[in-house]
Structure formats: structure tokens, C-alpha cells
Amino acid sequence: MSAAASAAFVKLADYAVRCRRQAASLPMQEDAVDYWSGVGFTLDQHRLLAPMDEVSEILSVPAYTRVPGVLPWMKGVANVRGRLMTVMDLSRFLGRPSELQERQRRLLVLDQNDLYTGVIVDEVQGMQHFPLDAYRPVPTTRDEDLGPYLRGGYLRDGELWSVFSLTRLAQDPRFMQAARTG
């Protein structure tokens, strides 16, 4: 080995020793935690989460035009940036109108395939992040009306946040049939 190569090797060995000494004072490596994220909202005192891929935006309830001959939970249609969107009241659909004034409530927008609809909820609590190991496959709820739309939930500080699927709601024939019959 040449003198230059030997000097370079000695220098690298010195770097390795110094790095190990400095690393001793560094914190231990922690395992990364994977998180699930959703939009938190409340509905009749329930803490719910909408999956991020099911909410295209969150709006204040826009001005809408009522449509004659529809069920009371279909509020009407609104022009949102040049697109007509149906506006539905989730509380009324579930059979229990909210006590909050409409201007205090928020709209979760579902924009999938040919469906562009806004679902009015009581309050939006922003993005919520939960460790994947906090997931519970079957959330307990005393509210039978919510049951068909729930997909498990996440536990945080002893409180369960149920995952509410807007897609499941949109697949419900009762939700898609807003016209009064008879």
C-alpha cells in the first residue's frame, strides 16, 4: 500500500472513531409511527372522521336554491365556482335536525365520479391524525342510524372517533332518492 493510500485509510479510521464517540450522546433511534388521517367533524355530539380521500373540500354552507318536491334533508342546489352541487343536511337525513344555526355549520364536499354533493355537518374540527395501532374495527355507538356508514374508529385519550364513510352514504339508495314519493 502506498504512503498516500495508507494516510487516507488512517484518516478514514479516525473519522469513524470520532463519529462513534459523537453518536453516543445522540438520542436512541425511535421507530417511526404510521398514521391514518381524516377530517374530524361533529354531528349531534358524535366525534366522527371522514377519510381524506372522500372529502374534496370543506366550505361554509353556500347560498342554495330550494328544489320543490324533495325530502326536507335535501336543502337544494348551489352554484359553487360554476358547478351545480346538491346540498344535503346529514342530521335531517338521519332523522334528527341539528339545533345549530345553518350559518354555524359546515359542508363536507364529496366529488366522486358523477356525484358532486355537499353534506352539512355540525362542526368541522380539521385534520386529525391517529396512530394506526389506535384503530378499532367495530366502533361502539348507541346510534343505529350512523351504524351503516361507520368503518371502525380510532381511540384517543379514551375517546372513540368513528370513521364515517361519505362513500357509503352516497351508495345508500335512500340518500340518492331525495324526491318525495306519494
Side-chain angles (χ1 to χ4, degrees):
M1 186 183 309
S2 73
S6 179
F9 179 77
V10 169
K11 190 73 159 170
L12 286 174
D14 180 49
Y15 285 150
V17 169
R18 288 184 8 212
C19 284
R20 282 192 202 101
R21 277 191 214 133
Q22 293 294 326
S25 65
L26 294 175
M28 297 282 289
Q29 178 180 351
E30 295 181 20
D31 293 328
V33 176
D34 290 325
Y35 286 89
W36 180 91
S37 298
V39 176
F41 68 97
T42 59
L43 188 71
D44 194 30
Q45 306 300 320
H46 292 279
R47 288 191 184 273
L48 301 169
L49 299 161
M52 290 297 297
D53 62 346
E54 294 184 7
V55 179
S56 62
E57 60 185 315
I58 300 165
L59 303 172
S60 295
V61 179
Y64 53 83
T65 301
R66 294 195 181 274
V67 177
V70 296
L71 295 168
W73 50 266
M74 184 188 176
K75 303 304 274 183
V77 293
N79 182 338
V80 177
R81 291 181 298 283
R83 287 181 73 189
L84 282 182
M85 174 177 61
T86 57
V87 178
M88 312 290 204
D89 186 330
L90 185 56
S91 292
R92 290 194 89 164
F93 174 74
L94 295 173
R96 52 172 175 269
S98 175
E99 295 179 14
L100 295 174
Q101 293 179 356
E102 200 167 270
R103 70 176 192 272
Q104 295 175 294
R105 300 174 77 203
R106 294 293 174 259
L107 195 75
L108 300 179
V109 178
L110 177 64
D111 188 1
Q112 292 181 351
N113 304 322
D114 292 332
L115 181 63
Y116 184 56
T117 191
V119 179
I120 301 173
V121 299
D122 289 344
E123 179 184 18
V124 172
Q125 298 175 330
M127 285 185 60
Q128 302 292 320
H129 309 281
F130 295 87
L132 290 179
D133 63 357
Y135 179 76
R136 302 295 177 261
V138 181
T140 56
T141 179
R142 283 172 254 153
D143 196 332
E144 299 170 3
D145 297 330
L146 287 173
Y149 314 109
L150 300 182
R151 296 189 332 206
Y154 290 89
L155 200 57
R156 179 192 291 153
D157 299 328
E159 187 170 24
L160 184 68
W161 290 66
S162 299
V163 177
F164 185 94
S165 173
L166 294 171
T167 300
R168 282 188 183 177
L169 176 68
Q171 292 168 346
D172 185 336
R174 294 180 310 124
F175 186 76
M176 296 306 293
Q177 183 58 38
R180 287 185 196 258
T181 56

